[in-house]
Amino acid sequence: MAEPGSSAAAVLPLLLLGFLSVSSVNAGKFPPADTLLSAPLNVTIREIEVNSAMVTWEISEGDPVIGFAITQQKKDVRMLRFIQEVNTTTRSCALWDLDEDTDYIVHVQSISMGGSSPPSEPVLFRTPKESEKMASKSPDEVTMEEVGQDAQLRAGELIIIVVVLIMWAGVIVLFCRQYDIIKDNEPNNNKDKAKNSSECSTPEHPQGGLLRSNV
C-alpha cells in the first residue's frame, strides 16, 4: 500500500500541468495588451456654424486603424447620434443638422479589425444663435458662395454691355452708310433739278430781245 506522502507528491505535478494548460488556453482567447488601439488624440471642433460643425482628431502612430466612430450627444439629453465609417483613413467628420444655441458633447473612437478603441476625452462645444452669427459677420467678410454669385452677376452684366455696344456699333455703321448714300445722291438730284428748270424756262435771244417779225 502506497504512503500518503508519495500519492500527494504524484498528484501535485498533474495539478500544476492542468493549471498551465488552462492559462495557455485563456491567453489564446485574448489579444496581447500591446495590440489594443489607443483612444484618438487632440479631438478638436472646428468651423462651428449654427447648424453644423467639423470634428477632427489624430491617432497614435502604428495603430492599425481602418475607420472611426463618433458619438454626438446634446448636453443633459440622453439621446445619442452614432456615426461610424470604416475602410477610410480620414481624420475628420462633419456634424450636421445641429440645433442653434445648443451644447453638444462629442466622443471619437478608432476602429480596427479587432474592434474599437476606448472613447476619447469628451469635447464640449456650443452652436451659436442665428442672430449672433449674422452680427459677428463683418461687412467686409465675403464667403466663397457670395464671391461666386458676384462673379456670375459681373459676367452677365459684362455680356449685356458687350451686346449693347455691338448693337450701337451696328446702328452707327448703318447710319453712316445711309448718310453716305444720301450724300452721294444729292449732286445728281441738283443736276436733275437744274436741267428740268432750264428746259422749262423761255429761251433768250443772244441780243437780249425776243424775236419779232418785221412789218
Side-chain angles (χ1 to χ4, degrees):
M1 183 175 181
E3 296 180 358
S6 62
S7 61
V11 172
L12 184 59
L14 295 176
L15 293 176
L16 182 60
L17 181 62
F19 176 77
L20 292 176
S21 62
V22 171
S23 299
S24 62
V25 170
N26 291 335
K29 291 182 179 178
F30 301 97
D34 56 357
T35 61
L36 294 177
L37 290 177
S38 302
L41 307 172
N42 299 327
V43 179
T44 307
I45 306 298
R46 307 176 184 272
E47 303 177 15
I48 302 176
E49 302 291 341
V50 177
N51 303 115
S52 64
M54 179 71 69
V55 55
T56 62
W57 64 89
E58 298 175 1
I59 62 173
S60 298
E61 186 176 358
D63 282 354
V65 177
I66 63 169
F68 63 86
I70 296 175
T71 303
Q72 169 192 318
Q73 177 184 7
K74 289 183 181 180
K75 187 179 179 181
D76 302 328
V77 178
R78 294 184 178 180
M79 186 174 61
L80 301 176
R81 171 185 284 173
F82 188 72
I83 305 171
Q84 179 174 324
E85 187 172 346
V86 294
N87 297 327
T88 179
T89 58
T90 183
R91 300 291 179 263
S92 64
C93 180
L95 307 177
W96 67 96
D97 197 22
L98 305 180
D99 295 333
E100 65 174 315
D101 194 25
T102 304
D103 291 318
Y104 286 91
I105 301 174
V106 171
H107 297 84
V108 182
Q109 292 176 275
S110 297
I111 299 176
S112 70
M113 296 297 294
S116 301
S117 72
S120 65
E121 292 294 328
V123 178
L124 176 66
F125 72 96
R126 185 180 185 85
T127 56
K129 293 182 181 180
E130 181 72 28
S131 57
E132 294 176 354
K133 190 66 178 179
M134 296 300 295
S136 63
K137 186 177 180 180
S138 61
D140 297 332
E141 184 181 355
V142 180
T143 62
M144 293 302 296
E145 183 178 357
E146 292 172 348
V147 170
Q149 292 177 353
D150 291 341
Q152 291 179 356
L153 290 175
R154 290 177 182 176
E157 293 174 356
L158 214 55
I159 293 174
I160 293 174
I161 292 173
V162 170
V163 171
V164 171
L165 290 176
I166 293 174
M167 292 177 63
W168 273 107
V171 171
I172 292 172
V173 170
L174 183 62
F175 175 78
C176 292
R177 288 182 178 179
Q178 293 295 331
Y179 179 77
D180 291 339
I181 294 173
I182 294 172
K183 190 175 180 180
D184 293 338
N185 289 335
E186 281 184 355
N188 295 331
N189 292 335
N190 292 334
K191 291 178 182 179
D192 292 341
K193 288 180 181 179
K195 184 177 180 181
N196 292 334
S197 61
S198 62
E199 289 177 354
C200 295
S201 61
T202 303
E204 296 183 353
H205 194 269
Q207 286 74 21
L210 296 178
L211 293 175
R212 295 181 181 179
S213 59
N214 294 324
V215 179

